[in-house]
Amino acid sequence: MRYRNMTMLLEDLERHGQLIRVDAEVDPYLEIAAIQRRAYRAGAPAMLFTRVKGTRFPMVANLFGTMDRTRFIFRSSLRALEGLFRLKVDPFDFFKHPWRYAGVPRALFSAMPRTVKKGSVFENTAAVSELPQLVSWPRDGGGYVTLPQVYTESPEHPGYKHSNMGMYRVQLTGPHYEKDREVGLHYQIHRGIGYHHAQALRVGESLKVNIFVGGPPAMTLAAVMPLPDDIPEVVFAGALAGFRIPMVRRGGDLPVLADADFCISGTIMPYQKPEGPFGDHLGYYSLEHDFPVLRVDNVWHRNGAVWPFTTVGRPPQEDTVFGDFIHELTAAMVPQVFSGVHEIQAVDAAGVHPLLLAIGSERYVPWASERQPQELITSGMALLGNTQTSLSKYVMITAREDAPALTTHDYDGFFKHMLERTDFGRDLHFITRTTIDTLDYTGISLNQGSKLVWTACGEKKRALAHHLPADLTLPAGFGDARLFGRGIVVLRGPAHTAARDEHDEAMFRLAEHLGGIGGLEGTPLFVVADDAAFTAEDWTNFLWVTFTRSDPATDMYGAGAFTHCKHWGCRGPLIIDARLKSFHAPALETDPDVERRVDELGAPGGPLHGFV
């Protein structure tokens, strides 16, 4: 089944028991988002809400809520797309197994968009204020579009070949925007729309933008796909959809997705306005900052238009499925993009960009009596210099030769392997005063902080402890030490009070204290948190707290620390300060009253019983 519009998709999902209709009235302010998050956690079907307070448009949630449903949606073209990726890795496989590639010619033919004269999206018009105003978290600054397809073209080279389509945050309402005339457009660093915006400013033109909502599901997935710069997302969408994506191009205007449910068309203005706050996928709020403003020229929608949405927050959420699906599609391509790298994982539990685990090769000097990271450093720097992996904050990379069965998806095994082999005086490579993910508030300012390439290879250097050292003592203000995993100590620290871009004297006292204790060779990593019990409860909590609440250069300390020729290291143990800092954005919390209302909807006899 190849879905050309949202109606085809919803009808087919309903026929196969993958969608339910919810006719009870729901509120787009907090309530519908709470329902969606619970539906995702429950593995529930997609949900079509037919009565949404304050809007005439139905809303649909959880479309991509499970891997099985996502594979089902793209079942007709998935094999052909996998064939394309396989041929990229090994072109000669076509001659060995030609039957695997029966659908590839169609996928190639479908890739280029098809320009048409008219589309269903133009059947009606609306005002921005008439659209569903989704507010996902209590402190959100207004209503948001959470599954947008934001389309632009290069002002210098217009056309599909130099187009970009990304899932950039769109704020529909807020105190700073002129009602129905302005919306906020939040795009982060290292995004294709930024290059187009820079070109427009350089040539003195305004950048035109079309925001599509709904339409063929392949367009939604393409908008989040981390593609090379020379592959337009709309081209990938055609290959994934199994048909040429129809676009309407009127005169010199930007093309419009013919079968989109909605299109917001406008122009980026030469000024910025405050956008946010917004509860984001790291599990914290993005705070209010100045971002571009889109002056709205038109809002179109087709007959029977349905507004798809999702909610982001602390992982896992529905966007976790996007990440898993993309990884499944592209895993075989990793060695082609990053020479010497065999496997990578942007860790969802850690908010994706804060932590990247990788397995590479160490082949530079195979004759050396002691293997030490060299090629691994090159590979780590390459990961920080290409595609979306460049947004990573911590890159932990080890050599496949040391443990061929090791995988980045076994956190306990991976961290154990790293901690057994790391030379803490040699293997930590910092990049300071650099660009970091816009959503990460651990750095020295918005978009600025540090990165770390942490390498490890060769023979084991230490045996990791299975128990806390019997004589472990801690300085005043620290306590509740507990062993997490093997070789990792989690403890509670005092509340953070230091200013941004400053070390904390309390952490230096801890490092000095630990340096004076013997017998810590088996516990090379100490993590300081606000709540040690929560942090050490499981890997999900540990990864989230440790890597979303620390900046490598500011928040890493060590017993016996030294700086030699600008290289920092320590004799151990290494300490990561993973406390919430005084300048961090607040973590996301739900509204108790809203959660109680959702409880009622899910109670026996309620419209959502058995689904939330």
Side-chain angles (χ1 to χ4, degrees):
M1 188 79 175
R2 293 177 169 87
Y3 306 110
R4 296 179 178 273
N5 55 48
M6 182 64 66
T7 299
M8 292 179 66
L9 171 62
L10 300 184
E11 289 177 348
D12 194 47
L13 289 178
E14 190 169 29
R15 277 194 301 270
H16 286 86
Q18 291 276 359
L19 179 142
I20 63 168
R21 292 175 180 265
V22 181
D23 295 324
E25 185 179 63
V26 293
D27 195 333
Y29 180 77
L30 301 182
E31 183 178 86
I32 200 169
I35 294 170
Q36 184 273 324
R37 291 193 294 271
R38 292 204 198 181
Y40 166 75
R41 290 195 299 269
M47 292 182 170
L48 178 62
F49 300 94
T50 60
R51 293 174 56 208
V52 181
K53 187 176 180 180
T55 181
R56 66 180 184 272
F57 299 108
M59 298 177 71
V60 63
N62 212 32
L63 282 173
F64 305 96
T66 70
M67 278 290 284
D68 286 344
R69 183 155 58 251
T70 303
R71 293 190 192 106
F72 176 83
I73 290 171
F74 299 112
R75 65 194 181 280
S76 297
S77 55
L78 196 54
R79 186 175 179 184
L81 193 64
E82 290 170 343
L84 280 173
F85 286 131
R86 196 183 300 116
L87 284 177
K88 175 70 174 174
V89 174
D90 182 8
F92 292 100
D93 193 59
F94 175 81
F95 301 102
K96 301 174 188 175
H97 309 100
W99 59 88
R100 291 180 176 175
Y101 303 99
V104 168
R106 176 169 183 160
L108 290 171
F109 173 77
S110 301
M112 184 54 66
R114 178 169 59 97
T115 300
V116 297
K117 293 184 178 179
K118 58 183 180 179
S120 60
V121 67
F122 295 110
E123 290 170 338
N124 305 278
T125 60
V128 170
S129 57
E130 295 177 292
L131 301 175
Q133 305 296 317
L134 174 70
V135 179
S136 301
W137 296 98
R139 299 189 190 185
D140 281 1
Y144 277 87
V145 189
T146 56
L147 286 177
Q149 307 149 37
V150 181
Y151 182 88
T152 57
E153 291 184 354
S154 164
E156 297 176 350
H157 305 283
Y160 300 125
K161 183 178 179 181
H162 297 282
S163 66
N164 174 261
M165 186 172 68
M167 195 166 284
Y168 311 124
R169 206 160 79 205
V170 179
Q171 184 172 350
L172 296 176
T173 59
H176 306 290
Y177 302 122
E178 184 181 341
K179 182 181 178 181
D180 291 329
R181 298 300 298 152
E182 294 178 335
V183 300
L185 185 57
H186 173 121
Y187 64 83
Q188 297 149 250
I189 61 171
H190 193 63
R191 296 296 193 267
I193 188 175
Y195 307 147
H196 290 172
H197 196 182
Q199 289 178 10
L201 293 173
R202 185 166 58 246
V203 299
E205 295 180 3
S206 297
L207 184 66
K208 294 184 178 297
V209 178
N210 282 340
I211 302 167
F212 313 132
V213 181
M219 288 286 281
T220 299
L221 186 71
V224 297
M225 191 74 183
L227 297 171
D229 291 340
D230 59 347
I231 301 179
E233 288 78 9
V234 70
V235 168
F236 174 83
L240 180 61
F243 59 87
R244 298 176 67 190
I245 299 295
M247 304 286 283
V248 180
R249 191 180 288 270
R250 295 176 166 181
D253 290 342
L254 205 60
V256 175
L257 176 60
D259 295 313
D261 285 69
F262 301 85
C263 175
I264 303 171
S265 181
T267 305
I268 292 182
M269 303 307 292
Y271 53 82
Q272 295 80 45
K273 287 189 175 183
E275 184 269 351
F278 179 75
D280 227 312
H281 71 260
L282 267 70
Y284 309 90
Y285 284 96
S286 292
L287 302 180
E288 187 178 88
H289 299 284
D290 286 349
F291 276 95
V293 174
L294 186 75
R295 186 76 175 180
V296 177
D297 298 322
N298 295 287
V299 179
W300 295 295
H301 70 89
R302 68 180 184 89
N303 291 331
V306 176
W307 187 270
F309 75 96
T310 191
T311 305
V312 293
R314 182 190 164 185
Q317 301 288 348
E318 186 177 4
D319 57 342
T320 299
V321 179
F322 280 138
D324 291 344
F325 186 69
I326 290 169
H327 177 79
E328 191 173 90
L329 277 178
T330 61
M333 291 287 294
V334 169
Q336 300 293 309
V337 179
F338 304 106
S339 178
V341 178
H342 308 288
E343 180 185 333
I344 60 174
Q345 185 201 167
V347 179
D348 183 70
V352 181
H353 293 316
L355 176 62
L356 182 75
L357 305 183
I359 296 174
S361 285
E362 187 51 66
R363 303 164 296 186
Y364 278 2
V365 285
W367 61 84
S369 58
E370 179 189 358
R371 296 175 65 252
Q372 66 181 50
Q374 294 181 82
E375 184 179 0
L376 291 178
I377 300 172
T378 301
S379 296
M381 295 300 181
L383 288 165
L384 289 178
N386 289 279
T387 70
Q388 294 300 305
T389 62
S390 67
L391 290 174
S392 304
K393 181 169 60 175
Y394 288 88
V395 176
M396 300 179 69
I397 183 168
T398 189
R400 184 172 66 174
E401 294 85 353
D402 295 326
L406 187 67
T407 172
T408 60
H409 295 275
D410 173 14
Y411 300 132
D412 187 69
F414 189 89
F415 274 77
K416 173 179 178 290
H417 182 90
M418 293 289 296
L419 292 174
E420 286 175 336
R421 289 165 175 79
T422 301
D423 179 340
F424 292 100
R426 180 192 67 197
D427 295 340
L428 304 176
H429 308 278
F430 293 85
I431 304 171
T432 61
R433 272 14 187 202
T434 189
T435 51
I436 62 171
D437 185 6
T438 304
L439 308 181
D440 192 324
Y441 281 83
T442 62
I444 60 176
S445 66
L446 185 68
N447 292 329
Q448 286 193 318
S450 67
K451 297 176 184 287
L452 173 70
V453 177
W454 178 340
T455 61
C457 74
E459 298 297 322
K460 294 181 182 179
K461 294 177 174 59
R462 62 187 62 85
L464 302 181
H466 292 268
H467 305 282
L468 277 177
D471 57 349
L472 177 65
T473 61
L474 298 170
F478 295 89
D480 195 18
R482 54 189 70 208
L483 193 73
F484 175 76
R486 281 169 283 188
I488 303 173
V489 178
V490 176
L491 63 147
R492 185 194 68 247
H496 182 271
T497 58
R500 184 187 289 276
D501 197 23
E502 287 186 2
H503 286 303
D504 190 329
E505 290 299 323
M507 300 304 295
F508 284 123
R509 290 196 298 272
L510 175 64
E512 183 179 8
H513 181 88
L514 294 178
I517 300 175
L520 298 184
E521 294 81 5
T523 52
L525 177 60
F526 278 63
V527 173
V528 181
D530 298 296
D531 186 337
F534 173 83
T535 305
E537 184 175 318
D538 53 34
W539 275 102
T540 299
N541 287 0
F542 176 82
L543 293 169
W544 183 62
V545 170
T546 303
F547 297 102
T548 66
R549 298 183 180 183
S550 63
D551 171 77
T554 306
D555 296 322
M556 295 186 82
Y557 303 79
F562 65 89
T563 302
H564 177 71
C565 294
K566 300 183 178 63
H567 176 80
W568 185 92
C570 67
R571 296 172 183 86
L574 180 71
I575 303 167
I576 299 178
D577 179 4
R579 297 171 296 168
L580 276 171
K581 310 303 186 294
S582 55
F583 47 84
H584 282 184
L588 302 180
E589 295 180 351
T590 57
D591 183 306
D593 292 335
V594 171
E595 295 300 318
R596 281 192 287 271
R597 289 203 299 273
V598 178
D599 287 340
E600 295 172 0
L601 293 172
L608 297 178
H609 179 59
F611 299 110
V612 298

